[in-house]
């Protein structure tokens, strides 16, 4: 017997055990998201993938699909909620797109375009965060970290290294690195790690190359993320 | 306490490892012990614990940074934290903080150069009926007065060890003012356990169902159902370990009834936990005690020891060869979020207290991913009585949907603050009359996360179907500026947000900043609209209850007490998000310029 | 709010522009509309702007602000624009979120000034300038909506000429302002 849910009026089949996000992605329906990556366990922290179920907002990435469920995603109210959440992420960090090498191929930026963000709206927090350039192959710019914990999950669950963790709490929450000095260069991190490949922003970047793709040819230059898909789902993605 | 040498730290950690074991779940307990011993968690302890427990350095550091009572920098020999709930403020704690700081010659959040003392603030320590209060090296000091603070300054300056401080400083009163079903009788002799053994778990569950008992932590989930789900989890496979957890992380500002229950109704609480273990088939339980109540540990341990000696706990309870159950006390370390059951379980496992995804709920996958019942202190107590005296006993009071009674922690502007037990369905005004509150402007029911009531609502009923409450009941008379309540709660939530999800992590900080802007007389109508927009965003989109409820006080007061905001507004339209003139302060200092042109005037 | 309705030829809408803490890249991008600038001057009257060299702003229908707020002069100009312009637009990354100049916010003002005027390479007479004619610096660079109410935001570093043209023509005609995917970018 087949199970289906109704997403914005469209019948979508799913296998029991799948989340709303799984079901949507499987049929090519885009629900914007940042902390979700199908390779890792759902996390539910960014709250960008909020959808409406029974008059409540739930995160599509963590909510199990149920037979006959009615899900709203593409409404102006939900779009406004998602826009506000992305704006919160932008004012929390220091996202200076013109000075970021990931610009144009950045999932945070692409999601912000998708939700129609023209300004950060809220006052900037302008936190003082360091850059860690201690590793020979990679750098971390903590200004750009959105605490999606994809690197944490990739390092723990795929690389089996636990190089990253989140420390502190509240607005002082921040990514930390597992090494005696706290520096990436002293950790077990390697350029070949999956954790090096999953950052949806420009927080974790390879060294020794820069701005390789000219403007116009970057991942999200020609088409929105709803068409192109996630950063890492692309064969060309680095 | 100065820099300990590494060998001292390593030796202490080794002893702690001997005492508490090598399980990674013990990490937080080891860290608390290290903090207590050295006044901070030195790097040598981080290294030693990471190696011994096989956890990442980063995880150890992350835990230290998460819990407010753990520090990666040395604190003073006397680490003094003033409770900073709104009720402490109403009792004048700010003046006393200033007094002590002046006497000791240091500022707030500073450690004196000689390393003798640190003064800081902390969230509500649960002494609201006998505040202002503070914690010194984790021990609660109550009923602060200028004279007491003066004496504390002397003791600190003279370096008198805490053990030789006047005992009266540490006296904590129960202040039980009104007894109902639960408080009338603190005595038990294992009667509910005998009932359980006589009649079986199914009968016990039937009585619990009949009683209609719902969780007293605020959410009100049916207790019988929770226990039954846990009992039947994993297909009822008895070989799967199950756990009982008593949530004594009483962190909601303004509540302190669990402290009294743990002090004077201790046996009933443990008996409720043991009963639960018997029903669900658990062999191990935890009392997760908030760090603020660590002074209770010796008492709790002594009751546990006695109960073991009496055959009410441990191996073969009441002579039943297959009824083994024991209780371990785990301390928290200053994190409100750990009152949320899944965050509490994370903390029990030694990690940062971050909420888990639900489902699965703890009854299916809790401590160590095993079926776990987490109940409030009061719930265990009530459950013990229900099984002893039968479901109808509880049903005899309360309303259809809210059977039995509720224990309230009453504080704020009233003649008789303390513990009051009422049948569910009691109107708010009844409580106000009983505790001697006059000229009441507002009541905050169920803590900072609860509801702000205006006088027109004082006939509302304390019950799940009207005003659900975990028991906090704070009273504000007409002399109070309720904006101070809002400032206090907004700062509280910004401090206590675990930081996991975006809306709560950033939203609580934005709310606090906006409220401070209002208080500074810098806000505009635009800012009030921002409060009205951010609040619902947090309510709808946050990951857990903390974020859902954190904006309640702002939204409630905007609706019910708009004047507290309006009278501070600077502009009808729009005002800068920062203080323009203050933002030039650095440049003025660096250039030595201070003319008229070097200042910015406010625009109307 | 942005609509001017039908254009009255006898009273062309007035536009003012200013660059605060920016690089004039957004103004240069406006010039990149190329020959359409002739159409634009037929349709609007330019008030205070680097393009006209008029120094003080009069009552205008539209104010375009490039750059963030970094000093007292920026503040003064921005507030004057807000007072005189019915519609105020943040143009470009710096006006929208502080942009590149706001990267100095990672440092204390003292560090910034000492790096430039005390320890910097090629400094012969070290000392932080104190001349009263030099606008005082704010301790941090802010986007303009943190100082005044802003009616519309055009992100980009700079927003492309097409983006600016789309905005201006929509605004002039009173049409809803809508951009194609390529017209909105933050870099």
């Amino acid at each position: 017997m087949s199970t289906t849910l109704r997403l914005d009026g469209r019948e979508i089949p799913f296998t029991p055990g799948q989340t709303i996000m799984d079901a949507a992605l499987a049929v090519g329906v885009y629900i914007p998201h940042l902390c979700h990556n199908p390779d890792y366990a759902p996390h539910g922290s960014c709250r960008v993938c909020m959808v409406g179920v029974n008059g409540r907002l739930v995160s599509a990435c963590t909510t199990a699909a149920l037979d006959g469920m009615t899900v709203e995603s593409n409404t102006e109210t939900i779009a406004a909620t998602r826009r506000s959440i992305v704006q919160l992420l932008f004012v929390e960090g220091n996202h200076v797109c013109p000075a970021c090498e990931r610009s144009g191929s950045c999932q945070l930026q692409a999601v912000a375009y998708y939700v129609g963000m023209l300004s950060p709206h809220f006052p900037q927090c302008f936190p003082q965060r360091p850059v860690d350039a201690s590793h020979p192959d990679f750098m971390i710019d903590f200004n750009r970290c959105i605490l999606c914990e994809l690197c944490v999950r990739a390092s723990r669950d795929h690389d089996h290294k636990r190089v990253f963790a989140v420390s502190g709490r509240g607005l002082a929450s921040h990514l930390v690195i597992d090494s005696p000095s706290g520096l990436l260069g002293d950790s077990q991190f390697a350029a070949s790690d999956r954790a090096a490949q999953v950052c949806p922003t420009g927080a974790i970047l390879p060294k020794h190359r820069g701005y390789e793709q000219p403007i116009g040819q970057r991942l999200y230059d020609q088409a929105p993320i709803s068409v192109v898909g996630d950063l890492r789902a692309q064969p060309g993605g680095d | 306490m100065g820099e300990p040498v590494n060998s001292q730290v390593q030796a202490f950690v080794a002893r702690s490892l001997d005492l508490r074991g090598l399980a990674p779940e013990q990490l937080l307990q080891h860290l608390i012990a290290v903090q207590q011993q050295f006044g901070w968690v030195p790097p040598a302890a981080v290294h030693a614990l990471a190696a011994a427990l096989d956890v990442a350095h980063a995880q150890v550091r992350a835990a230290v940074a998460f819990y407010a009572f753990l520090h990666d920098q040395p604190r003073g020999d006397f680490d003094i934290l003033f409770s900073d709930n709104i009720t402490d403020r109403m009792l004048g704690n700010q003046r006393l903080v200033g007094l002590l700081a002046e006497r000791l010659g240091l500022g707030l959040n500073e450690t004196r150069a000689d390393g003798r003392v640190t003064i800081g603030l902390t969230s509500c320590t649960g002494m609201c009926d006998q505040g202002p209060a503070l914690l010194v090296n984790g021990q609660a000091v109550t009923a602060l007065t200028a004279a007491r603070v003066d004496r504390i300054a002397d003791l600190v300056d003279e370096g008198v060890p805490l053990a030789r401080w006047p005992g009266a400083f540490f006296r904590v009163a129960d202040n039980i003012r009104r007894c109902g079903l639960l408080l009338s009788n603190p005595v038990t002799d294992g009667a509910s356990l005998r009932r359980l053994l006589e009649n079986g778990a199914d009968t016990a569950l039937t009585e619990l169902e009949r009683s209609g008992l719902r969780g007293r932590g605020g959410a009100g989930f049916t207790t019988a159902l929770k226990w039954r789900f846990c009992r039947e989890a994993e297909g009822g496979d008895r070989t799967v370990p199950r756990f009982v957890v008593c949530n004594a992380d009483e962190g909601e500002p303004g509540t302190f009834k669990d402290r009294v229950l743990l002090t004077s109704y201790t046996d009933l609480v443990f008996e409720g936990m043991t009963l639960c273990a018997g029903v669900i088939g658990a062999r191990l339980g935890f009392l997760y005690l908030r760090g603020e109540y660590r002074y209770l540990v010796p008492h709790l341990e002594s009751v546990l020891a006695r109960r073991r000696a009496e055959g009410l706990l441990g191996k073969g309870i009441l002579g039943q060869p297959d009824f083994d159950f024991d209780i371990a006390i785990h301390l928290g370390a200053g994190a409100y979020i750990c009152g949320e059951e899944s965050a509490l379980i994370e903390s029990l496992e030694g990690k940062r207290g971050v909420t888990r995804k639900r489902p699965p709920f703890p009854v299916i996958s809790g401590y160590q991913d095993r079926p776990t019942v987490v109940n409030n202190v009061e719930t265990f107590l009530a459950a013990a009585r229900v099984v002893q005296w039968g479901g109808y006993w509880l049903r005899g009071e309360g309303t259809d949907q809210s059977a039995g009674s509720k224990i309230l922690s009453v504080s704020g502007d009233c003649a008789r603050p303390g513990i009051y037990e009422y049948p569910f369905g009691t109107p708010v005004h009844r409580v106000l009359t009983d505790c001697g509150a006059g000229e009441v402007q507002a009541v905050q029911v169920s803590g900072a996360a609860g509801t702000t009531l205006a006088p027109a609502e004082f006939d509302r009923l304390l019950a799940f179907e009207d005003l659900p409450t975990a028991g906090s009941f704070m009273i504000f008379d007409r002399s109070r500026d309720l904006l101070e309540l809002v400032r206090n709660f907004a700062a509280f939530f910004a401090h206590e947000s675990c930081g996991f999800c975006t809306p709560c992590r950033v939203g609580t900080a934005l709310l606090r900043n906006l409220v401070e802007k209002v208080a500074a007389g810098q806000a505009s109508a635009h800012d009030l609209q921002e409060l009205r927009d951010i609040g619902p965003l947090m309510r709808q989109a946050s990951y857990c209850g903390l974020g859902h409820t954190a904006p309640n006080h702002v939204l409630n007061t905007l609706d019910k007490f708009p004047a507290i905001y309006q009278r501070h507004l600077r502009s009808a339209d729009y005002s800068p998000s920062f203080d323009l003139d203050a933002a030039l302060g650095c440049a003025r200092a660096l250039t030595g310029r201070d003319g008229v042109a070097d200042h910015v005037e406010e625009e109307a | 709010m942005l609509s001017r309705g039908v254009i009255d030829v006898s009273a062309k809408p007035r536009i003012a522009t200013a660059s605060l803490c920016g690089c004039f890249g957004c103004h240069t991008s406006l010039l990149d509309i190329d020959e359409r600038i002739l159409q634009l001057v037929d349709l609007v009257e330019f008030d205070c702007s680097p393009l006209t060299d008029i120094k003080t702003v009069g009552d205008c229908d539209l104010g375009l602000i490039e750059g963030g707020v970094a000093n007292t002069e920026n503040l003064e100009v921005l507030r004057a624009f807000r007072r005189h312009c019915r519609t105020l637009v943040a143009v470009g990354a710096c006006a929208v979120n502080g942009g590149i100049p706001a990267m100095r916010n990672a440092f204390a003002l003292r560090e910034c000034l000492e790096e430039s005027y005390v320890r910097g390479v090629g400094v012969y007479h070290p000392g932080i300038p104190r001349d009263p004619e030099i606008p005082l610096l704010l301790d941090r660079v802010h986007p303009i909506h943190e100082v005044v109410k802003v009616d519309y935001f055009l992100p980009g570093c700079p927003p492309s000429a097409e983006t600016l043209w789309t905005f201006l023509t929509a605004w002039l005609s009173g049409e809803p302002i809508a951009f194609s995917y390529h017209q909105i970018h933050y870099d």
Side-chain angles (χ1 to χ4, degrees):
Chain A
M1 204 183 77
S2 71
T3 46
T4 61
L5 60 80
R6 183 171 283 271
L7 177 58
D8 289 329
R10 177 179 165 187
E11 288 290 330
I12 290 183
F14 69 89
T15 325
Q18 283 188 314
T19 61
I20 297 171
M21 179 71 80
D22 295 333
L25 288 178
V27 295
V29 173
Y30 180 71
I31 297 174
H33 54 271
L34 285 166
C35 70
H36 183 67
N37 176 327
D39 292 343
Y40 302 99
H43 199 53
S45 68
C46 77
R47 315 307 283 168
V48 171
C49 70
M50 302 308 282
V51 292
V53 175
N54 293 327
R56 285 179 55 227
L57 290 181
V58 298
S59 49
C61 70
T62 58
T63 305
L66 297 175
D67 196 28
M69 183 185 245
T70 299
V71 181
E72 283 189 318
S73 176
N74 196 11
T75 73
E76 186 38 49
T77 324
I78 289 171
T81 299
R82 292 173 181 161
R83 195 180 308 128
S84 295
I85 291 169
V86 174
Q87 285 168 327
L88 293 177
L89 285 171
F90 267 84
V91 299
E92 180 189 17
N94 294 308
H95 297 282
V96 190
C97 296
C100 179
E101 208 182 307
R102 183 74 84 207
S103 190
S105 304
C106 168
Q107 210 173 310
L108 173 65
Q109 190 186 61
V111 166
Y113 295 159
Y114 179 82
V115 299
M117 185 184 102
L118 293 179
S119 84
H121 180 83
F122 304 108
Q124 296 281 344
C125 297
F126 291 129
Q128 305 236 327
R129 296 187 190 164
V131 174
D132 179 346
S134 60
H135 194 277
D137 303 320
F138 268 77
M139 58 160 278
I140 299 190
D141 186 339
F142 293 98
N143 290 288
R144 302 166 183 165
C145 175
I146 56 168
L147 297 169
C148 68
E149 296 190 41
L150 273 169
C151 59
V152 177
R153 285 177 277 165
S155 183
R156 182 189 62 209
D157 302 340
H158 187 276
D159 305 328
H160 306 294
K161 288 186 178 179
R162 303 185 300 192
V163 168
F164 301 98
V166 169
S167 182
R169 74 184 196 199
L171 204 61
S173 300
H174 59 286
L175 190 67
V176 289
I177 291 155
D178 185 41
S179 67
S181 63
L183 292 172
L184 190 65
D186 295 333
S187 75
Q188 294 183 51
F189 181 84
S192 55
D193 285 357
R194 184 70 73 82
Q197 314 294 325
V198 292
C199 181
T201 77
I204 302 180
L205 282 180
K207 286 180 167 179
H208 314 304
R209 52 193 158 116
Y211 299 98
E212 283 186 321
Q213 289 156 308
I215 292 176
Q217 293 174 29
R218 301 171 306 181
L219 193 58
Y220 301 118
D221 278 344
Q222 297 304 328
I225 191 168
S226 55
V227 174
V228 176
D230 290 352
L231 191 56
R232 298 303 159 189
Q234 293 305 301
D238 49 19
Chain B
M1 300 191 183
E3 294 267 342
V5 291
N6 284 353
S7 60
Q8 283 177 321
V9 175
Q10 283 153 0
F12 182 82
V13 169
R15 281 200 301 281
S16 184
L17 290 167
D18 281 346
L19 191 66
R20 298 178 180 84
L22 294 169
E25 284 85 354
Q26 293 295 331
L27 173 61
L28 178 59
Q29 304 308 308
H30 289 301
L31 289 171
I32 292 169
V34 169
Q35 172 72 42
Q36 277 295 309
Q37 176 71 19
F38 299 106
W40 65 307
V41 181
V46 174
H47 298 317
L49 286 170
L53 306 181
D54 190 28
V55 294
H57 279 83
Q59 190 193 324
V60 183
R61 290 204 195 96
V64 173
F66 183 84
Y67 293 98
F69 293 163
L70 302 179
H71 302 280
D72 63 0
Q73 299 290 324
R75 308 282 287 183
D77 299 342
F78 295 95
D79 187 5
I80 296 177
L81 294 171
F82 281 83
S83 176
D84 197 30
N85 186 27
I86 183 66
T87 53
D88 295 288
R89 290 199 169 199
M90 288 155 67
L91 292 164
N93 76 330
Q94 285 168 305
R95 194 175 61 85
L96 299 177
V97 173
L99 190 67
L100 187 65
E102 196 191 319
R103 275 290 320 269
L104 293 171
L106 77 168
L108 196 57
N109 300 317
E110 281 178 18
T111 299
R112 206 163 73 178
D114 63 358
R116 174 60 63 81
V117 57
T118 308
I119 301 182
L121 299 177
T122 188
S123 300
C124 180
T125 59
M127 301 290 167
C128 319
D129 58 335
Q130 46 205 302
L134 59 75
L135 298 172
V136 52
N137 296 350
Q139 298 295 315
V141 177
T142 59
L144 293 173
T145 58
R148 195 163 271 198
V149 164
D150 227 33
R151 184 79 191 98
I152 289 174
D154 291 338
L155 292 164
V156 167
D157 266 332
E158 293 159 17
V160 177
L162 279 195
R164 286 173 34 216
W165 285 27
F169 285 17
F170 303 100
R171 197 161 295 146
V172 179
D174 277 356
N175 290 335
I176 298 172
R177 312 282 185 183
R178 188 179 196 280
C179 294
L181 285 178
L182 300 176
L183 295 179
S184 302
N185 182 0
V187 179
T188 179
D189 56 359
S192 70
L193 299 180
R194 289 196 182 82
R195 284 278 172 160
L196 174 70
L197 296 179
E198 285 159 22
N199 302 329
D202 285 324
T203 307
L205 281 172
T206 306
E207 289 301 335
L208 279 170
E209 258 159 33
R210 183 172 289 143
S211 76
L213 178 64
R214 297 169 65 174
R216 266 36 177 169
F221 193 81
T222 304
T223 305
L225 213 51
K226 185 181 274 191
W227 291 18
R228 191 181 288 285
F229 283 152
C230 189
R231 177 178 161 84
E232 292 169 0
E234 305 273 351
D237 180 353
R238 294 294 106 197
T239 63
V240 175
R242 285 164 167 71
F243 298 96
V244 178
V245 177
C246 177
N247 183 347
D249 191 53
E250 186 175 41
E252 191 62 53
T255 180
F256 45 86
K257 49 104 185 164
D258 291 343
R259 185 237 306 149
V260 174
L261 298 180
L262 292 168
T263 305
S264 300
Y265 297 78
T266 326
D267 272 286
L268 272 169
V269 176
F270 289 144
E271 185 151 317
M273 291 176 70
T274 312
L275 173 74
C276 176
V279 169
I280 66 169
R283 300 164 66 90
L284 182 58
F286 298 99
L287 178 80
Y288 186 93
L289 184 70
R290 69 185 308 227
E292 289 83 346
Y293 293 168
R294 62 173 297 134
Y295 75 93
L296 285 172
V297 170
H299 163 69
L300 294 168
E301 291 287 9
S302 75
V303 174
L304 288 175
R306 175 172 47 71
R307 289 184 70 82
R308 284 182 200 113
E310 290 170 354
L312 298 171
L313 202 61
K315 286 219 174 294
I317 293 171
L318 290 174
Q320 292 292 306
D322 57 344
F323 192 3
D324 298 345
F325 177 69
D326 215 327
I327 296 172
I329 298 171
H330 266 233
L331 280 169
Y336 167 74
I337 183 67
C338 291
E340 195 281 338
E341 61 179 8
S342 68
L344 184 152
I345 289 170
E346 287 285 295
S347 184
L348 267 183
E349 293 181 359
K351 303 175 211 161
R352 297 162 79 238
V354 172
T355 327
R356 288 182 178 176
K357 272 189 303 293
R358 295 179 305 171
F361 289 92
V363 284
I364 303 298
S365 178
Y367 182 70
Q368 293 180 337
D369 298 329
R370 304 297 194 179
T372 304
V373 163
V374 185
N375 273 140
N376 183 262
V377 175
E378 188 180 342
T379 313
F380 281 119
L381 189 155
R385 287 303 195 206
V386 164
V387 171
Q388 181 183 359
W389 288 331
Y392 291 121
W393 165 79
L394 192 79
R395 264 265 169 248
E397 273 193 4
T399 69
D400 279 355
Q401 291 170 58
S402 312
S405 63
K406 184 73 196 87
I407 302 173
L408 302 180
S409 312
V410 176
S411 66
D413 294 313
C414 64
R416 292 174 295 279
I419 300 295
Y420 291 74
E421 183 180 9
Y422 286 99
F424 271 117
T426 299
V428 169
H429 62 72
R430 172 72 202 275
V431 183
L432 293 173
T433 308
D434 289 354
C435 70
E439 297 285 302
V440 179
Q441 179 184 195
V443 176
Q444 183 73 20
V445 172
S446 207
T451 310
T452 316
L453 297 181
E457 302 169 280
F458 290 171
D459 54 359
R460 288 182 64 183
L461 308 180
L462 298 163
F464 291 109
E465 59 271 32
D466 187 3
L467 281 172
T469 176
S472 172
F473 192 99
M474 293 183 277
I475 303 163
F476 302 83
D477 72 20
R478 289 190 210 285
S479 71
R480 306 292 178 182
D481 180 355
L482 289 182
L483 192 63
E484 291 303 310
L485 166 155
V486 179
R487 290 177 72 188
N488 186 259
F489 291 173
F492 169 78
F493 285 116
H495 179 65
E496 298 294 349
S497 167
C498 83
F500 177 77
C501 78
T502 313
C504 179
R505 182 177 68 241
V506 191
T508 51
L510 292 182
L511 285 188
R512 177 202 54 204
N513 295 349
L514 284 164
V515 166
E516 284 304 309
K517 189 179 175 186
V518 172
Q522 299 283 343
S524 65
H526 171 82
D527 296 310
L528 300 192
Q529 190 55 49
E530 287 291 287
L531 289 170
R532 287 188 184 281
D533 291 344
I534 296 167
L537 179 70
M538 292 168 64
R539 272 186 179 172
Q540 291 162 15
S542 293
Y543 183 80
C544 81
L546 195 159
H548 296 153
T549 54
N552 284 352
H553 65 101
V554 170
L555 297 171
N556 281 178
T557 50
L558 277 168
D559 284 342
K560 299 175 190 178
F561 302 94
I564 67 171
Y565 296 89
Q566 294 294 339
R567 63 170 167 255
H568 290 283
L569 288 197
R570 161 174 151 192
S571 147
D573 181 30
Y574 199 89
S575 57
S577 68
F578 62 102
D579 183 331
L580 300 179
D581 191 59
L584 292 168
C586 291
R588 281 194 296 261
L590 288 167
T591 59
R593 289 163 54 182
D594 200 17
V596 178
D598 303 316
H599 286 269
V600 190
E601 282 181 32
E602 284 187 12
E603 285 197 319
Chain C
M1 184 166 46
L2 293 167
S3 165
R4 292 197 72 256
V6 180
I7 295 165
D8 177 355
V9 198
S10 62
K12 290 200 284 185
R14 297 183 70 83
I15 297 183
T17 76
S19 182
L20 309 179
C21 187
C23 70
F24 280 90
C26 299
H27 278 81
T28 309
S29 193
L30 178 61
L31 295 176
D32 278 345
I33 62 174
D34 297 333
E35 74 282 359
R36 286 171 293 187
I37 195 105
L38 299 173
Q39 264 177 281
L40 187 61
V41 289
D42 276 346
L43 293 169
V44 304
E45 197 75 48
F46 272 94
D47 191 273
C48 162
S49 169
L51 309 177
T52 59
D53 216 22
I54 297 171
K55 302 294 188 196
T56 53
V57 61
D59 286 341
C60 287
D61 299 283
L62 184 67
L64 304 178
I65 299 281
E66 168 189 348
V69 187
N71 63 31
T72 46
E73 189 207 12
N74 299 156
L75 269 178
E76 196 178 310
V77 172
L78 178 59
R79 289 168 138 190
F81 264 64
R82 181 66 278 182
R83 279 195 301 274
H84 289 286
C85 302
R86 275 178 39 197
T87 296
L88 193 68
V89 184
V91 180
C94 304
V96 168
N97 68 11
I100 302 280
M103 290 176 80
R104 84 151 154 94
N105 296 352
F107 306 93
L109 185 59
R110 174 186 288 276
E111 291 176 85
C112 297
L113 289 173
E114 287 182 348
E115 186 65 28
S116 295
Y117 296 106
V118 181
R119 293 192 307 268
V121 177
V123 171
Y124 292 105
H125 303 290
I128 294 169
R130 328 161 52 109
D131 189 324
E133 297 212 345
I134 302 172
L136 273 186
L137 290 170
L138 295 165
D139 55 1
R140 299 204 282 196
V141 179
H142 292 265
I144 66 170
H145 72 268
E146 294 187 14
V147 177
V148 297
K149 182 169 188 289
V150 173
D151 301 303
Y152 208 81
F153 296 86
L154 292 176
C157 186
S160 71
E162 296 310 314
T163 307
L164 293 168
W165 181 250
T166 300
F167 172 79
L168 287 169
T169 49
W171 176 76
L172 281 164
S173 65
E175 299 287 321
I177 297 162
F179 297 103
S180 69
Y181 179 71
H182 295 91
Q183 289 181 330
I184 294 297
H185 53 83
Y186 304 154
D187 58 0

